[in-house]
Each structure stands twice: as C-alpha cells, then as structure tokens.
Amino acid sequence: MAHNDEELISALTQHFVNSGEKQRLLTLLKAKLTDASWPDMYYAHCRNAMQDRKDNFTFDELAESTSDYGKSSINESIKKEMLVQIKKFLVDTLANMPPSSSTSASASSSTD
C-alpha cells in the first residue's frame, strides 16, 4: 500500500472515531442485534459449548471456538445495513475532503 493510502486510511479512521460515527454505528448494531435476539442465541450457543467441554478452558478458547458461529449467525440484512452505513460515511467524508487528499482516495474507492 502506498504511503499516501496509509495516511488517508489513518485520517479516515481518526475521523470515524472523533466524529462519533463509530459509536453511533456500534449503538445501532447493538440495538439491531438485540431486536433480532442474537445475544440470547449466542449466549445459549456459548453455554452449550461450555457444557460440552468437560475439561477446563479459558475465555479465549471459548471465544475462538464460538466466534465462527457468532459471525455466521448474524442476519444478512443487518450486515448489509451496517456496510451501507459505513460506505455512506466514507463517501460523505471523502466528498468533503480537500482535493489533494481525496484525489488518491477517489482512485482507490472507484475499484469497489
């Protein structure tokens, strides 16, 4: 990755956090997952995974053994909506950047 691309990614990441957009999207995601009863399903899956293992194990081992289920059990419509929200943030942010910064970004974002 070119040095300018790294700087752009760093600036976008910083703006994503500082603008409050990251927190807003995390709150939205949590609400959507809760509405879909995903936390309850994931909790039940983890509880079953713990009961199936008779030996001692760490939290990291539990997380590793259940993360694929957790990711795959999220409703596709929630994933798509979150991606749309993130893309909108990026497009709006890049549109409002000074021309020298957004030139390299436009070239790299047009490959979507």
Side-chain angles (χ1 to χ4, degrees):
M1 187 180 317
H3 184 61
N4 287 342
D5 288 345
E6 291 173 3
E7 289 176 3
L8 179 61
I9 290 170
S10 178
L12 286 170
T13 301
Q14 186 174 5
H15 182 63
F16 186 61
V17 173
N18 293 343
S19 68
E21 186 67 6
K22 180 179 179 183
Q23 187 59 46
R24 185 187 78 77
L25 291 179
L26 285 172
T27 301
L28 177 64
L29 176 60
K30 186 175 182 178
K32 294 210 168 281
L33 291 174
T34 300
D35 289 346
S37 300
W38 181 86
D40 296 332
M41 291 185 298
Y42 189 64
Y43 176 79
H45 179 78
C46 291
R47 189 177 58 240
N48 290 337
M50 290 187 299
Q51 291 172 349
D52 291 344
R53 289 189 60 163
K54 303 299 180 203
D55 57 338
N56 290 333
F57 57 95
T58 66
F59 175 79
D60 288 339
E61 291 170 331
L62 176 65
E64 184 178 328
S65 69
T66 60
S67 65
D68 286 342
Y69 169 82
K71 292 173 190 173
S72 67
S73 64
I74 296 173
N75 188 309
E76 286 300 316
S77 66
I78 293 173
K79 292 177 187 179
K80 286 179 184 175
E81 182 176 347
M82 297 308 296
L83 286 173
V84 165
Q85 293 282 330
I86 293 167
K87 187 172 183 178
K88 181 184 181 317
F89 169 81
L90 290 172
V91 167
D92 291 348
T93 300
L94 291 173
N96 293 318
M97 289 183 81
S100 62
S101 299
S102 61
T103 303
S104 64
S106 298
S108 63
S109 68
S110 66
T111 61
D112 285 344

